[in-house]
Amino acid sequence: VQLVESGGGLVHAGGSLRLSCAVSGLSFDEWTIAWFRQFPGKEREGIVCTRRDGSIYYDDSVKGRFTTSTDNTNKTVYLQMNSLKPDDTAIFYCTAAPLVRFSWSYCGRSRVEYDYWGQGTQVTVSS
């Protein structure tokens, strides 16, 4: 199993980035992909995840600015990040969990609920 993130970098406030998470060894029929971030010195926290009913949870801090999408053919999950702020500066991770672990109305937002992780990609937003 491999999850490989790419697309991070340095951007000015107000700019955009698109993160990619290339997934191998897992089926999107059985596994769900979420996005986490980690601020320096802080715990990793879930910001985007997909419930079993297909609806997507967005943390309030990113709602309206970040959007996730999936390319099933290329087995890649994207995180489009718009209107970036300096407070968004963090390492971003994609991660995978079995779909059946979550309920129809809930998806995991803590690190322990996920099994496989990418290596992380740094996003730095300058003011």
Side-chain angles (χ1 to χ4, degrees):
V1 176
Q2 269 195 314
L3 284 72
V4 180
E5 296 110 339
S6 60
L10 173 64
V11 64
H12 291 299
S16 298
L17 285 173
R18 188 177 78 160
L19 306 184
S20 300
C21 176
V23 179
S24 59
L26 297 175
S27 166
F28 285 171
D29 291 336
E30 298 175 347
W31 292 78
T32 183
I33 305 298
W35 290 94
F36 277 61
R37 68 183 174 199
Q38 188 166 19
F39 298 121
K42 302 291 187 181
E43 291 292 316
R44 209 170 289 186
E45 57 183 12
I47 55 171
V48 181
C49 62
T50 303
R51 305 176 185 93
R52 282 180 69 185
D53 65 358
S55 61
I56 299 172
Y57 163 84
Y58 292 95
D59 186 84
D60 284 345
S61 65
V62 305
K63 196 176 296 181
R65 301 187 298 123
F66 290 13
T67 305
T68 191
S69 60
T70 301
D71 180 341
N72 288 298
T73 301
N74 293 310
K75 297 198 70 177
T76 300
V77 180
Y78 300 99
L79 184 66
Q80 178 67 44
M81 307 188 295
N82 299 328
S83 303
L84 283 161
K85 308 172 185 179
D87 286 350
D88 292 317
T89 296
I91 300 174
F92 285 75
Y93 297 87
C94 60
T95 181
L99 269 169
V100 296
R101 180 167 295 163
F102 305 131
S103 72
W104 293 103
S105 59
Y106 170 81
C107 54
R109 289 154 228 170
S110 65
R111 187 174 182 169
V112 297
E113 296 176 283
Y114 290 86
D115 295 349
Y116 298 105
W117 292 85
Q119 81 284 3
T121 186
Q122 175 72 47
V123 171
T124 302
V125 185
S126 63
S127 57

